[in-house]
Amino acid sequence: MTTDVKVCHATKAGNIITPAGRGAYTAFFKPRAMKGEPADKAKYGGSLLIPASANVKLLVDRVGEVIADKWGADAAKKMKIKKPFLRMEDQVHNFVKSDDEDVRAKFCKEFPFLIRCSSAQRPDVLFANGSKCDEEDEAYSGRWMRFSVRAYGWEHPANGKGVSFGLQNVQLLQPDE
């Protein structure tokens, strides 16, 4: 993987490598089912909190391409299509336990959004030097990491239409709390 960790990069295989962010809700070694779902719906995955300094233009552009390919060039204007970028303002209570509004506002400013990624297949988890990580304890929430993702469109009878990111691989970067 490339060394510029503040910018997204496309791979020859068509994946996008995200900028470095803080991992959260990591399930890279054992799949987890969402609350209320059966065990056979369990997936590998995690969330990535992306810093304000990161350049995510490639991710945003790819989501637009998927929308245009699946539903047409004007679909984003005509339809309500869910996008994979979650605003931190709506999620901050999951990450900041302080009731201090200034602390919460600072966190939202530092990490304005996050993406959730999942996969039915276990992703490869690598250290920054390219060596394979087999220790679940190394891939913890809070650690800096990058994801290799692939955008795809979906339709669901109850949840409408949207674009999500499928998790391909994970690169673990510097430890943090």
Side-chain angles (χ1 to χ4, degrees):
M1 291 190 189
T2 183
T3 57
D4 187 352
V5 296
K6 290 188 177 188
V7 179
C8 296
H9 301 278
T11 68
K12 290 178 184 175
N15 297 332
I16 297 175
I17 300 183
T18 68
R22 302 286 296 271
Y25 302 110
T26 58
F28 306 136
F29 295 92
K30 292 182 215 157
R32 278 195 298 232
M34 298 202 40
K35 189 175 182 177
E37 287 191 345
D40 66 339
K41 296 280 186 180
K43 291 188 174 187
Y44 299 93
S47 295
L48 190 67
L49 287 69
I50 300 181
S53 61
N55 180 338
V56 295
K57 183 179 183 326
L58 185 57
L59 287 172
V60 172
D61 290 349
R62 188 65 53 93
V63 167
E65 290 168 10
V66 169
I67 291 170
D69 289 348
K70 188 157 182 75
W71 297 290
D74 294 334
K77 297 175 190 170
K78 296 178 181 179
M79 299 179 200
K80 183 168 182 145
I81 298 173
K82 295 177 183 175
K83 295 182 181 165
F85 307 105
L86 302 173
R87 293 176 7 168
M88 186 53 72
E89 294 164 357
D90 301 330
Q91 304 291 322
V92 70
H93 62 280
N94 293 319
F95 301 102
V96 179
K97 300 306 176 197
S98 172
D99 290 331
D100 185 332
E101 287 302 316
D102 290 337
V103 171
R104 287 176 178 243
K106 181 180 179 207
F107 191 83
C108 289
K109 189 173 183 178
E110 289 175 11
F111 298 95
F113 66 93
L114 66 105
I115 57 173
R116 289 186 185 139
C117 308
S118 64
S119 174
Q121 286 81 38
R122 182 178 171 203
D124 284 333
V125 180
L126 306 172
F127 289 106
N129 66 6
S131 65
K132 189 171 182 167
C133 174
D134 291 319
E135 299 174 39
E136 189 173 356
D137 292 349
E138 291 287 342
Y140 57 87
S141 294
R143 184 171 187 153
W144 288 88
M145 53 186 73
R146 293 193 299 177
F147 292 174
S148 172
V149 300
R150 184 177 294 264
Y152 65 94
W154 52 265
E155 294 185 40
H156 187 275
N159 294 328
K161 298 174 182 180
V163 177
S164 293
F165 291 119
L167 181 63
Q168 307 297 308
N169 301 294
V170 177
Q171 182 186 40
L172 303 176
L173 302 172
Q174 66 268 23
D176 211 328
E177 57 184 62

